Amino acid sequence: ETGVTQTPRHLVMGMTNKKSLKCEQHLGHNAMYWYKQSAKKPLELMFVYSLEERVENNSVPSRFSPECPNSSHLFLHLHTLQPEDSALYLCASSQDTTSAFNEQFFGPGTRLTVL
Amino acid sequence: QKEVEQNSGPLSVPEGAIASLNCTYSDRGSQSFFWYRQYSGKSPELIMFIYSNGDKEDGRFTAQLNKASQYVSLLIRDSQPSDSATYLCAVNEVTTDSWGKLQFGAGTQVVVTP
């Protein structure tokens, strides 16, 4: 595996379900990110982790819960979601979060549908 | 609210012509600027970045940065049907704790017609 991988690629869940999204980066980076992409809207940054420590939480509802057990893995735990949470969820990684020259590399995304 | 603005398009470009995409940003302190390409149903992929005023060329792509006017543009020369995609402009947002956060525009859809 190379780059940034995400599983599952597609997920359909009911509003009462609990599910998790997984991201893994094989680039030796120290920072990982969760983004939400809805149709015709800019990418919305949800969470940022640097060396397994959360450094940013952009007022995301508590029904989204991130977990970063190490610098290569990032999870997004989902529970009691709403239909408006249906979107493409993208994971990204970068070398660090301290540099202004911060190239981020994206995974393929998880297409989430909440019924 | 710091913003990154792009025309949503679609920008229709004949094959072989030059596609010109523009992006304006509100944060004067921004230091780095990125262009991502996103095919329908796929994730964004980085195609160019620029840090200094002026032009930067990479193959058929040229990024242009004018910090005084707060805009960055992307030119695609000899456009090919495979260039049909949405192009996202991303701007580094400078914060008090010096952490580099990327602010994305909504993207410009480019359609290259044979």
Side-chain angles (χ1 to χ4, degrees):
Chain A
E1 294 276 21
T2 59
V4 181
T5 59
Q6 290 185 244
T7 56
R9 297 293 307 277
H10 301 271
L11 179 61
V12 179
M13 58 188 289
M15 289 190 285
T16 58
N17 291 158
K18 287 186 181 181
K19 297 286 183 184
S20 295
L21 309 185
K22 179 184 176 183
C23 175
E24 184 173 0
Q25 59 95 1
H26 309 267
L27 300 169
H29 289 164
N30 293 319
M32 297 186 76
Y33 310 77
W34 279 117
Y35 286 91
K36 175 184 179 182
Q37 188 175 37
S38 303
K40 304 297 183 186
K41 288 187 176 181
L43 281 165
E44 299 174 47
L45 180 64
M46 300 175 72
F47 300 103
V48 182
Y49 278 83
S50 175
L51 295 170
E52 301 114 64
E53 190 174 322
R54 190 191 305 181
V55 296
E56 180 88 4
N57 174 1
N58 265 9
S59 302
V60 179
S62 59
R63 56 186 184 269
F64 295 92
S65 174
E67 179 190 0
C68 187
N70 55 62
S71 60
S72 299
H73 293 86
L74 185 64
F75 295 89
L76 188 62
H77 304 299
L78 317 171
H79 67 99
T80 59
L81 294 192
Q82 304 298 311
E84 60 264 29
D85 296 323
S86 299
L88 181 68
Y89 287 84
L90 291 161
C91 174
S93 72
S94 67
Q95 186 59 53
D96 56 47
T97 59
T98 57
S99 169
F101 312 112
N102 194 20
E103 302 167 39
Q104 293 182 21
F105 296 86
F106 286 84
T110 295
R111 174 68 63 186
L112 174 66
T113 302
V114 181
L115 302 176
Chain B
Q1 175 72 16
K2 295 168 184 173
E3 294 183 345
V4 177
E5 300 284 347
Q6 297 181 255
N7 288 328
S8 61
L11 177 66
S12 185
V13 181
E15 185 174 357
I18 296 175
S20 178
L21 292 75
N22 295 316
C23 171
T24 59
Y25 59 94
S26 62
D27 183 3
R28 282 198 168 275
S30 297
Q31 299 182 43
S32 49
F33 308 85
F34 303 86
W35 283 101
Y36 285 84
R37 177 177 61 200
Q38 187 173 24
Y39 291 114
S40 180
K42 303 293 185 183
S43 62
E45 57 176 323
L46 182 68
I47 53 173
M48 284 213 65
F49 56 87
I50 186 167
Y51 307 142
S52 304
N53 276 329
D55 295 0
K56 179 182 179 183
E57 188 174 317
D58 184 359
R60 295 186 296 110
F61 298 98
T62 299
Q64 300 173 317
L65 175 61
N66 184 324
K67 290 186 180 179
S69 300
Q70 293 177 244
Y71 82 79
V72 56
S73 61
L74 180 71
L75 301 178
I76 308 174
R77 290 183 301 282
D78 188 24
S79 295
Q80 302 297 309
S82 59
D83 295 325
S84 297
T86 295
Y87 290 80
L88 307 178
C89 173
V91 176
N92 157 255
E93 184 180 305
V94 177
T95 61
T96 54
D97 60 4
S98 300
W99 178 71
K101 171 181 171 180
L102 288 186
Q103 189 78 27
F104 282 85
T108 298
Q109 184 186 3
V110 173
V111 178
V112 180
T113 54

